[in-house]
Amino acid sequence: MGNDYAIETQNLTKRYGRVEAVSGLSLKVPHHQVTGFLGRNGAGKSTTIRMLLGMTHPSEGRGALLGSPIDDAGESREIRRHVAYVGEDKELYGYMTVQQLIRFTASFYADWRPETAHCLQRRYELPSERKVRDLSKGMRTKLALLLALARRPEILILDEPSDGLDPVSIEDLLGTLGAATGEGTTVFFSSHRIAEVERIADRVCMIDHGKLVAELSLDEMRQDYRRITLGFATPPPEQAFGIYGVRQVRTSGRQMILSAARNANGIVELARSLDAVSVDVAPVSLLEVFLETVKEAQ
Amino acid sequence: MMLFYKAWRESQTRFLVGALALAGYCAFMVMNRSGTEGAFSERVVGHSYGEYIDSLVFSGFGKLVFVLPVIFLGLGGLLRERARHTAAFTLALPVSRAHFIGSQIAVGLGEIALLAVVPGLVIPPLSALVHQSYPIAEALRYGLLRFVGGSFIFAIAFLLSVFLRGAYTAPMACWVALLLQAQVASWRPLRPYGLSPLRTMDGRWDWIGSNINDPLPWTDLSIMMLLALALFAVATKITQRQSL
C-alpha cells in the first residue's frame, strides 16, 4: 500500500467470536477531502475506525494511514502523531480542568499551535478552570475538537461527531470540518445523520453489516444520480430496462420507478421508445441512495 | 512526563487515603499502647515497646493496613480506561501501550515506596512523645521489606486489573490470590525460597527475638522483586495485545 490515499484498507476484517463486525472491507480515502463513512447503528463503522487507529487488532486484512501499516505497533504510534481522533463517547479525563487537559495533550505534539488552541478556546467559550467532568457533552465535543485541530493533523477522524450536540453546535462543527480541508487536513467521519454528511462531504463510503456497499463522490451523485418515474398505458416492460446506469427498478401497476446512477438521458430515450406516457426525472438525495443501497445489500 | 502526571492524578486519591489510614493507624498504636495491649494481651503483653510495635504495626493487622491500599493502587490498565470511556482518547495519543503501562507501574511503585516509609516517619517522633523510643533504622529496614513485598502484591493486583473487568473484581481476586499464594509459599518444600510477600514483609518467619542487626533477607527480596518484574512484563504483553 502506498501513500496515494490518506486511508486505505484491503480485506480488513474483525471477528468477535462468531460475529463478523467488519467483513473484508476495502476502502480508499483520498487526501484533502471530507469523506463521510455512512452506516446504520452496528454496521461496523466504529470498529473500522478503532482498527485504523490501532486500538483494535484486525482479524484479517491490511490497512494503512498515510502509507504506514496500521497493525505495526511502532508505525501505529508514529501515525498517531499525524492523525487526530474525536471518539464517539467524547469522554476525556474528567479529573483535569480544561486548561490542564490542553497542556497535557499539547505535550505530546511537537507541532502544537498554542495560538490556534487559544483562539478555538475563546470561540468555543471553554472555561479554563472548569473540570472536564463538569462540561456538557456539547462542550466536551468542542474541547475534543480543539485538542484535535490545534495540531493541524494530516488526517482528522471523527466517530459520530454530532451526537449530543445542539443545532447551533452542529452548525459550528460542520463549518469547522469543512474548513479543515483548506488547511490540508483529510477529514474522515462516521455518521448515521445523512443530511449532515450530504452537506459537507466530498465523498461517501457506505457500510452495512461490516461490508462496504457503496463508495461515491457527492458531486457525481448530484450530477448523475436520478430517480426516473415512468408511466405506461400497458403493464411496463421491466426487463427492457436492464441497461447501463440502472441501479434498481420498482414496478407498481403501470408505473415504474427507476433509480439510475448514470445514463439518465439514455434511459429516458429508451422509455420514450417503449411508448411511456409520462416521464419524470428528479435528482435524488443521499438519503435515498443510502436507503436503496442498504436495501439492495440485504 | 505527562503520562506520569496522568497516572499520579488517577491514583492520588487512593494513595492519599491509604497513606492517611496508615499514618493514623501508626499514631493510634503508639499513643494508645495500654488500650491496645488489653485487646491483644496474649500477643504483646510482656514484650518490649519495640516488640509491641513490630508485632502490631509491622506485622499482624498493621500489615493489612499497608496491603489494602497497595492492592487498590494496583488498579490500572486499559480495561479501567475503557470502563471510564477514556480508552479511545488515551490510545489515540502518540505513545506506545508499553509507555502507558510503564508510567502506571512507575508511579505505583513510587507510591508504594512512600507508603512503606510512612511508619518510619510517624513512629519514631511520636514514640518520643510517649517517652518511648523506636529506632528509625529499624523502621526504615521494615520500610524496605514492605516496599519489596508491596511491589509484588502491587504486581499481582496490576496484572489482574489488566485482564479482569469490573471496578472491584481485580482487588477481590488479588486478595484471594494472595491468600492462596501464602498457603502455597508456606508449604514446607517452598518455605526456604521466601515466596510469600506477606512473610517477606516481616523479614523473618517469627518476629519475636529478631533485632536491628539481623541481616536483611536479600535473597528473598531479590526473588520477590524478580517475580514482580515478571508479572509487570506479562501485564505489558497482555496490554499490547488487547483489542478495545
Side-chain angles (χ1 to χ4, degrees), chain A residues 2-293:
Chain A
N3 200 10
D4 298 341
Y5 295 95
I7 301 172
E8 191 175 359
T9 70
Q10 270 178 15
N11 197 33
L12 199 65
T13 302
K14 181 66 189 176
R15 284 184 212 97
Y16 294 104
R18 286 181 186 175
V19 179
E20 241 177 33
V22 176
S23 179
L25 187 70
S26 296
L27 270 183
K28 284 186 170 101
V29 175
H31 290 279
H32 315 311
Q33 289 195 0
V34 178
T35 301
F37 194 32
L38 271 179
R40 295 186 290 178
N41 289 331
K45 304 185 297 288
S46 297
T47 307
T48 303
I49 288 176
R50 286 203 297 270
M51 282 193 281
L52 291 175
L53 291 164
M55 296 175 193
T56 296
H57 304 297
S59 309
E60 249 177 65
R62 297 186 302 159
L65 263 72
L66 302 168
S68 303
I70 56 171
D71 45 359
D72 177 302
E75 293 267 18
S76 172
R77 192 177 67 226
E78 205 41 48
I79 289 171
R80 279 178 268 142
R81 288 192 196 287
H82 308 283
V83 176
Y85 169 63
V86 177
E88 190 177 8
D89 292 322
K90 282 99 183 177
E91 287 293 344
L92 304 162
Y93 305 141
Y95 50 84
M96 289 190 193
T97 63
V98 168
Q99 197 53 48
Q100 285 168 340
L101 188 61
I102 291 174
R103 213 176 307 138
F104 172 84
T105 310
S107 72
F108 292 96
Y109 302 98
D111 56 351
W112 184 264
R113 298 178 296 170
E115 65 292 345
T116 306
H118 287 310
C119 179
L120 289 173
Q121 193 183 347
R122 267 201 309 276
R123 187 167 132 203
Y124 295 156
E125 296 174 11
L126 291 165
S128 293
E129 296 311 316
R130 178 92 51 94
K131 282 256 163 78
V132 172
R133 72 164 75 93
D134 297 330
L135 297 176
S136 66
K137 192 171 184 184
M139 297 284 260
R140 284 203 306 272
T141 304
K142 287 175 179 174
L143 178 56
L145 268 176
L146 180 158
L147 299 174
L149 293 171
R151 303 153 37 194
R152 198 182 290 156
E154 288 180 52
I155 303 180
L156 174 58
I157 297 178
L158 307 101
D159 197 356
E160 306 286 359
S162 61
D163 260 13
L165 291 185
D166 59 72
V168 177
S169 303
I170 291 175
E171 278 304 304
D172 212 7
L173 169 79
L174 297 181
T176 305
L177 296 186
T181 50
E183 293 200 335
T185 299
T186 302
V187 178
F188 182 68
F189 77 108
S190 81
S191 181
H192 52 260
R193 297 178 185 219
I194 293 165
E196 289 167 14
V197 177
E198 190 164 14
R199 270 191 53 196
I200 61 160
D202 301 302
R203 294 183 62 78
V204 167
C205 300
M206 294 181 196
I207 181 174
D208 195 51
H209 291 100
K211 290 187 172 75
L212 186 73
V213 288
E215 203 172 0
L216 58 119
S217 139
L218 285 189
D219 279 346
E220 278 172 27
M221 185 198 85
R222 288 180 195 114
Q223 195 181 310
D224 298 333
Y225 277 58
R226 293 290 181 269
R227 190 182 59 249
I228 304 169
T229 309
L230 307 173
F232 288 90
T234 53
E238 204 172 308
Q239 294 80 3
F241 286 94
I243 63 167
Y244 170 68
V246 176
R247 297 176 70 223
Q248 212 178 47
V249 179
R250 271 177 295 147
T251 308
S252 170
R254 292 181 180 177
Q255 193 182 56
M256 185 185 262
I257 301 171
L258 293 108
S259 175
R262 300 255 187 293
N263 193 26
N265 292 338
I267 296 166
V268 169
E269 268 176 40
L270 176 67
R272 292 199 197 286
S273 72
L274 291 170
D275 299 329
V277 291
S278 67
V279 176
D280 180 52
V281 181
V284 292
S285 67
L286 182 59
L287 175 66
E288 287 171 287
V289 175
F290 175 71
L291 292 176
E292 279 172 9
T293 307

Side-chain angles (χ1 to χ4, degrees), chain B residues 214-226:
Chain B
D214 284 349
L216 279 164
W218 289 112
T219 313
D220 292 6
L221 297 182
S222 307
I223 291 172
M224 201 104 301
M225 236 25 221
L226 285 173

Side-chain angles (χ1 to χ4, degrees), chain B residues 116-127:
Chain B
V117 298
V118 164
L121 297 174
V122 173
I123 293 171
L126 284 186
S127 297

Side-chain angles (χ1 to χ4, degrees), chain B residues 7-24:
Chain B
W8 160 247
R9 288 294 304 270
E10 287 171 357
S11 61
Q12 64 179 1
T13 308
R14 282 171 281 156
F15 168 72
L16 292 173
V17 168
L20 279 174
L22 192 56

Side-chain angles (χ1 to χ4, degrees), chain B:
Chain B
M1 201 60 203
M2 288 306 257
L3 282 181
F4 291 100
Y5 168 72
K6 174 182 179 297
W8 160 247
R9 288 294 304 270
E10 287 171 357
S11 61
Q12 64 179 1
T13 308
R14 282 171 281 156
F15 168 72
L16 292 173
V17 168
L20 279 174
L22 192 56
Y25 177 78
C26 293
F28 178 80
M29 298 313 271
V30 170
M31 308 303 280
N32 192 34
R33 184 181 178 191
S34 54
T36 315
E37 276 187 336
F40 296 96
S41 54
E42 75 291 346
R43 197 159 177 196
V44 290
V45 167
H47 293 294
S48 67
Y49 175 74
E51 287 171 341
Y52 160 78
I53 293 293
D54 287 353
S55 169
L56 291 181
V57 174
F58 291 111
S59 189
F61 187 71
K63 215 157 46 176
L64 182 68
V65 179
F66 172 74
V67 167
L68 267 178
V70 166
I71 289 176
F72 279 95
L73 284 175
L75 288 171
L78 287 174
L79 288 183
R80 202 171 148 76
E81 291 256 346
R82 186 163 81 167
R84 289 187 308 217
H85 305 287
T86 54
F89 182 74
T90 301
L91 290 175
L93 295 170
V95 288
S96 69
R97 294 184 183 201
H99 274 110
F100 165 72
I101 286 289
S103 64
Q104 289 190 331
I105 291 170
V107 169
L109 289 178
E111 288 168 338
I112 289 165
L114 290 172
L115 282 182
V117 298
V118 164
L121 297 174
V122 173
I123 293 171
L126 284 186
S127 297
L129 288 180
V130 293
H131 310 293
Q132 295 285 352
S133 74
Y134 190 87
I136 195 157
E138 181 73 351
L140 292 177
R141 179 180 186 276
Y142 275 116
L144 177 64
L145 296 171
R146 281 194 165 190
F147 170 67
V148 176
S151 298
F152 182 56
I153 294 168
F154 171 77
I156 296 173
F158 192 83
L159 174 61
L160 290 168
S161 159
V162 157
F163 66 83
L164 288 180
R165 290 163 203 265
Y168 297 104
T169 314
M172 277 157 53
C174 180
W175 193 245
V176 173
L178 220 49
L179 294 176
L180 288 174
Q181 202 265 350
Q183 288 298 312
V184 173
S186 63
W187 186 38
R188 191 174 290 275
L190 290 178
R191 277 187 77 164
Y193 301 106
L195 295 175
S196 166
L198 297 172
R199 290 285 186 189
T200 299
M201 283 192 279
D202 285 349
R204 69 218 106 165
W205 294 101
D206 178 12
W207 59 270
I208 292 175
S210 74
N211 66 58
I212 195 169
N213 297 318
D214 284 349
L216 279 164
W218 289 112
T219 313
D220 292 6
L221 297 182
S222 307
I223 291 172
M224 201 104 301
M225 236 25 221
L226 285 173
L227 287 173
L229 289 175
L231 294 177
F232 290 141
V234 174
T236 308
K237 209 79 198 153
I238 291 172
T239 304
Q240 283 171 328
R241 292 179 182 190
Q242 254 167 350
S243 271
L244 295 156

